Amino acid sequence: MPLEVHLEKAKLRWTTMIPPNMGTIECQFNPQNLVITKTNTWLATPMPNFNSPSLKFTGGQPATNKLDLFFDSYAPCPGKDPIDVREYTNKLLKLTLRGAGIAMYKLPYADPPSVKFIWGKITLFSAVVTSVNISFILFAPDGTPIRAKAAVEFQQNEFLFGDDVLPALNPTSRTDARKTRIVNSQQRLD
């Protein structure tokens, strides 16, 4: 008996705080690639008589991810008009608008939605959309766009307070390594 394979569709799940709203954009076709980038900032201090500087960690930068999506609304059935592919791509563009386009006039201080990329067992960090680049690549005879590619870029938008804080332990457990000193007579411990 063959093993049944279920194709999991990738999704973009978005939420806004003002007004409280949420939605899911299901990818019509799963992305071919997903690029995740995480960088840190280091301060270089030149050291005399050394070939390279001393580096001091000064903090992490937000992670980013990029993915390319493909949309196709071509209907090869005779007598049936193709659907405008912008019905799909406009949903991506709304992820760059305050309140996903809902709060534009009512609430001018609303932020664009927070988005999570979910695909099977992969759930990426909470992020904001920083860029959407849509290329329409096929048109119906009347000029209606029916096929498009979209390059979407995200930037991490979550402050993980506990992501590098160690749990409370013995107060001496996070100190520098112990040093041993020999004390002679006539010397004090301090």
Side-chain angles (χ1 to χ4, degrees):
M1 177 179 231
L3 181 65
E4 187 175 322
V5 177
H6 174 71
L7 179 64
E8 186 72 33
K9 289 285 203 172
K11 304 175 193 67
L12 296 173
R13 187 166 291 143
W14 59 270
T15 59
T16 61
M17 299 301 282
I18 303 172
N21 205 352
M22 64 182 64
T24 300
I25 299 173
E26 188 173 283
C27 297
Q28 194 177 19
F29 298 93
N30 286 335
Q32 184 176 352
N33 61 357
L34 170 66
V35 178
I36 301 170
T37 306
K38 174 71 173 145
T39 59
N40 292 321
T41 305
W42 294 84
L43 177 65
T45 305
M47 305 269 304
N49 302 324
F50 285 92
N51 290 324
S52 64
S54 169
L55 295 176
K56 179 176 170 79
F57 178 70
T58 60
Q61 298 298 312
T64 62
N65 69 316
K66 299 177 186 179
L67 59 107
D68 295 324
L69 298 174
F70 181 74
F71 299 96
D72 188 359
S73 63
Y74 181 72
C77 300
K80 191 171 182 184
D81 291 334
I83 300 170
D84 193 330
V85 77
R86 290 176 291 182
E87 289 184 24
Y88 300 109
T89 58
N90 285 347
K91 293 176 185 178
L92 287 177
L93 291 172
K94 286 185 177 184
L95 297 179
T96 64
L97 303 175
R98 293 188 312 253
I102 299 166
M104 294 297 286
Y105 304 108
K106 297 177 189 172
L107 301 164
Y109 301 108
D111 288 334
S114 180
V115 182
K116 279 194 179 189
F117 177 77
I118 302 167
W119 187 11
K121 295 181 180 179
I122 299 172
T123 299
L124 294 185
F125 45 81
S126 182
V128 292
V129 175
T130 57
S131 172
V132 175
N133 184 352
I134 299 172
S135 300
F136 297 103
I137 56 175
L138 184 64
F139 299 86
D142 66 355
T144 303
I146 55 177
R147 194 171 288 161
K149 291 181 181 178
V152 187
E153 296 184 20
F154 304 85
Q155 185 170 358
Q156 183 178 14
N157 186 32
E158 60 185 359
F159 178 70
L160 299 175
F161 178 72
D163 81 357
D164 63 355
V165 177
L166 294 177
L169 300 171
N170 182 340
T172 60
S173 63
R174 297 264 328 240
T175 61
D176 292 335
R178 304 264 192 283
K179 296 180 182 178
T180 305
R181 292 209 169 99
I182 298 173
V183 180
N184 296 321
S185 63
Q186 306 286 329
Q187 289 183 324
R188 296 175 16 162
L189 291 176
D190 61 341

